[in-house]
Amino acid sequence: MSVKVFLELVEIKAKTASVLPFILGLFLAAYHYHTVQPMLALLFFIAMFLFNMAVDMLDNYHDYVHAVDTEDYQQNTNIIGREKLSPHLVLAMLITLVVIAALLGIYLVTQLGLTLLWLGVFCFAVGFLYSSGPFPLSGLPVGEFFSGFTMGFMITLISVFVNTGADFTWSWTNLGVIFLVALPDELWISNLLLANNICDEQEDNDNHRYTIVHFIGKKWALYAFAVKNTIAFLAIIAAAVLRLTPWTVLLTLLIIPFVVKQTKLLFNKQVKKETFPAAIRILLIGSLVQVVTFAVGLI
C-alpha cells in the first residue's frame, strides 16, 4: 500500500475537522485559564489524530464490506476495492491505530482522572457507531449532528480540560463558553457530512443509507447548509462581543464572501468530485482563520 493510498484511506484531507478544534481548545485554555500543559496536550493530539484516522478507515471498510452495489460501488468507487486492497490488512491497520490511541488515552486518564475516561468513552463510542453496527450514524439522519458535536465541541472541550486539569470548573457557564466558541467548527464539520450526503443522495439510496437528505430532499438540505454557515458567523460575533474570544477573531468575518462563493458552487451543482470540495474549503479556511485570528489576539 502506497503512502498516497493510505492517506486517502484515512481521508487525510478531512483531518482539519479534528486538528483545528484541538488548537482552538488549546488557545481557549491559554486565554481563559492562562495555563497550557504541552506534554499532555501532545499526547492527546496524537491519540485523537490516530483515532480519527481509524474512524475514517472504519467508514471505508464498513462501506466496502456491507455495500449492496457490489459491482459498481464496491469495486470501482470504494477505495478498498478500487485499489485492490486486502480487507484483512485494512482491518489490522485499523485495530493497531485504535489500540495505540486507547493506550495513550489510558495514560492521560491516570494523569487527569476518570472524568477524561468518560469523555473519551463517549468519543470512542460515537466513532465506532458512526461507521459500524446495525445502523451506522453516518447513514442516519443524525449523522451530521453527531459528527459536528463530537469533533467540533467534544475535541475542543477535551483539549481545554487536558490543558487545565484541576483548574477547570465543570459548570454550565464554562460548558456554554466552550460550546459557543466551538460552534462555528461544529456547524462547518456537520456541513461537511451534509454536503457529502447531498452529493451522494442516489448512491446512498442504492446502498440503503437513509441520511437526512433522504427525508428532507436536496433543496432543503442545501438551505440548511447555507443557514448553518450563517449561524457560524453569528456565533463568532457573539463570542467576541461577550469577550469569550479576543476581538481579533472578528477578522474571520472577512472570509464571508469566500464562504458565499463556495456555497453558491454547491447550490449550482451537486457533484461529488466537482463541488463537494467546496464544503472542505469552507471548513479549512473558516476554522484556520478563526484559529489564526485567535492566536493574534493572544499575542
Side-chain angles (χ1 to χ4, degrees), residues 115-253:
T115 300
L116 182 63
L117 174 64
W118 302 123
L119 295 174
V121 166
F122 175 82
C123 292
F124 265 64
V126 172
F128 285 118
L129 293 175
Y130 182 82
S131 305
S132 57
F135 303 105
L137 295 175
S138 62
L140 296 176
V142 295
E144 285 79 5
F145 168 78
F146 277 102
S147 63
F149 180 81
T150 305
M151 301 186 72
F153 173 67
M154 290 299 295
I155 288 179
T156 304
L157 171 62
I158 295 175
S159 182
V160 171
F161 180 67
V162 166
N163 281 286
T164 57
D167 294 330
F168 185 78
T169 301
W170 289 94
S171 67
W172 288 112
T173 299
N174 283 340
L175 292 175
V177 168
I178 297 171
F179 182 83
L180 182 60
V181 174
L183 186 56
D185 274 348
E186 297 172 48
L187 296 170
W188 286 328
I189 291 169
S190 70
N191 262 355
L192 196 66
L193 180 57
L194 180 60
N196 180 75
N197 290 337
I198 290 172
C199 294
D200 286 350
E201 180 189 28
Q202 188 57 54
E203 184 179 283
D204 285 340
N205 288 336
D206 291 342
N207 285 282
H208 301 168
R209 290 164 50 90
Y210 302 116
T211 67
I212 189 66
V213 182
H214 173 80
F215 294 97
I216 66 176
K218 278 188 177 182
K219 177 182 176 180
W220 287 104
L222 288 167
Y223 286 152
F225 184 90
V227 168
K228 286 196 284 183
N229 284 331
T230 303
I231 296 175
F233 287 110
L234 293 175
I236 288 172
I237 295 172
V241 169
L242 294 172
R243 298 185 179 181
L244 306 180
T245 58
W247 70 266
T248 51
V249 175
L250 288 173
L251 294 173
T252 308
L253 301 179

